[in-house]
């Protein structure tokens, strides 16, 4: 399998491609990483250095990759945080060209906007760009519950309302929706859930909720789910594998006391997930 991953890159820590590439490689996926920023660290520190890559330069890198004949080999395009409006057009154009070279290729979009606690943490035009121009051309999207609500103009809370919102998102273009954090009021205390929906049905997986925020965990989640879905075409199996691996990554990080994801230390959990969390079909 070969994945074209168009995302941010940081020197210190693990977000964007700096989070997604190694777990994909560890499960045997060849990755073609194209950076959209080259920062010293993620922006959660409040200060960082390094350039936002101009969209024209990202397009040039992609053109060079295409000229090597690589687009015909791509099984999936993956995108995440988009720092500016122009990069969305570059990604959509790259997806179009990859699919022209390989019609079986999938496009997975992680529509990064924000979360329920922090609100939107991207430029105001980005959510509109994602909703109107990027998500409609995606095959897979991996929003959290807050992002799913923005994309669909809804306020998902219960399983039923989250399923309705996922169906609205699927009607806009993507056939598969992974909701990476479902926080329904009636869930068991101390847990958090993920929900995957595709043409075959809907599945929910429940994991313990650890009391800290790990920057980049969503990027790993989107990457692993995409690869597993390309390999299996099963939302249930992909959800179980992803949830099991990501929980072990987060738990490893939590126990370490470190701020940044312990991506290398948890590597065995990507290649051989313990499969400790089973998915329950909810539709």
């Amino acid at each position: 399998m070969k994945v074209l991953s168009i995302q941010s890159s940081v020197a210190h820590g693990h977000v964007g491609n700096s989070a997604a590439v190694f777990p994909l490689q560890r499960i045997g996926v060849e990755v073609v990483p194209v950076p959209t920023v080259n920062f010293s660290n993620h922006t959660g520190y409040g200060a960082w250095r390094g350039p936002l890559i101009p969209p024209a330069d990202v397009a040039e890198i992609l053109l060079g990759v295409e000229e090597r004949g690589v687009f015909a080999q791509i099984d999936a395009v993956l995108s995440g945080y988009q720092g500016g409006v122009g990069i969305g057009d570059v990604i959509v154009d790259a997806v179009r060209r990859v699919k022209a070279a390989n019609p079986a290729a999938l496009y997975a979009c992680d529509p990064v906007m924000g979360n329920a606690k922090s609100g939107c943490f991207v430029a105001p035009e980005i959510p509109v760009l994602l909703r109107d121009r990027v998500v409609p051309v995606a095959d897979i999207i991996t929003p959290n519950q807050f992002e799913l609500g923005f994309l669909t103009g809804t306020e998902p809370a219960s399983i039923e309302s989250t399923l309705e919102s996922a169906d609205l998102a699927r009607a806009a273009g993507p056939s598969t929706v992974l909701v990476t954090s479902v926080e329904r009021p009636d869930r068991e205390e101390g847990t958090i859930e993920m929900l995957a929906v595709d043409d075959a049905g809907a599945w929910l997986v429940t994991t313990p909720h650890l009391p800290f925020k790990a920057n980049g965990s969503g990027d790993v989640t989107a990457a692993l789910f995409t690869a597993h879905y390309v390999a299996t075409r099963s939302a249930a199996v992909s959800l179980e594998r992803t949830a099991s691996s990501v929980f072990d990554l987060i738990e490893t990080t939590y126990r370490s006391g470190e701020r940044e994801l312990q991506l290398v230390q948890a590597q065995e959990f990507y290649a051989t997930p313990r499969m400790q969390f089973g998915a329950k079909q909810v539709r």
Side-chain angles (χ1 to χ4, degrees), residues 40-124:
S40 56
N41 51 270
H42 67 69
T43 58
Y45 284 92
W48 63 92
R49 295 183 183 274
L52 188 72
I53 310 296
D57 290 348
V58 178
E60 276 290 294
I61 296 170
L62 287 163
L63 179 59
V65 172
E66 182 179 26
E67 289 171 342
R68 303 289 79 74
V70 176
F71 278 11
Q73 305 167 11
I74 297 297
D75 298 291
V77 180
L78 176 65
S79 71
Y81 171 76
Q82 299 187 17
V85 173
I87 197 65
D89 292 327
V90 172
I91 292 170
V92 169
D93 183 58
V95 169
R96 177 186 60 78
R97 284 152 46 202
V98 166
K99 289 194 170 194
N102 177 15
L106 300 179
Y107 169 40
C109 171
D110 184 8
V112 179
M113 303 176 200
N115 55 60
K117 292 184 177 64
S118 306
C120 272
F121 49 63
V122 297

Side-chain angles (χ1 to χ4, degrees), residues 77-231:
V77 180
L78 176 65
S79 71
Y81 171 76
Q82 299 187 17
V85 173
I87 197 65
D89 292 327
V90 172
I91 292 170
V92 169
D93 183 58
V95 169
R96 177 186 60 78
R97 284 152 46 202
V98 166
K99 289 194 170 194
N102 177 15
L106 300 179
Y107 169 40
C109 171
D110 184 8
V112 179
M113 303 176 200
N115 55 60
K117 292 184 177 64
S118 306
C120 272
F121 49 63
V122 297
E125 61 270 21
I126 298 297
V128 177
L129 163 77
L130 288 166
R131 182 192 64 201
D132 296 346
R133 285 156 55 193
V134 181
V135 165
V137 303
D139 300 290
I140 301 168
I141 58 170
T142 60
N144 59 35
Q145 205 168 17
F146 171 84
E147 292 160 344
L148 178 65
F150 179 87
L151 291 173
T152 57
T154 60
E155 296 183 3
S158 65
I159 291 297
E160 292 74 19
S161 62
T162 304
L163 282 169
E164 289 171 4
S165 298
D167 287 340
L168 286 172
R170 294 177 70 238
S175 59
T176 303
V177 176
L178 172 68
V179 188
T180 58
S181 59
V182 178
E183 299 188 42
R184 58 186 170 114
D186 57 340
R187 74 186 187 280
E188 185 180 344
E189 187 176 353
T191 65
I192 192 164
E193 296 166 322
M194 284 199 286
L195 176 74
V197 186
D198 69 0
D199 291 340
W203 290 266
L204 189 74
V205 67
T206 303
T207 67
H209 181 254
L210 297 174
F212 86 124
K213 172 76 172 94
N215 291 91
S217 57
D219 301 320
V220 176
T221 300
L224 288 176
F225 183 84
T226 298
H228 290 314
Y229 196 84
V230 169

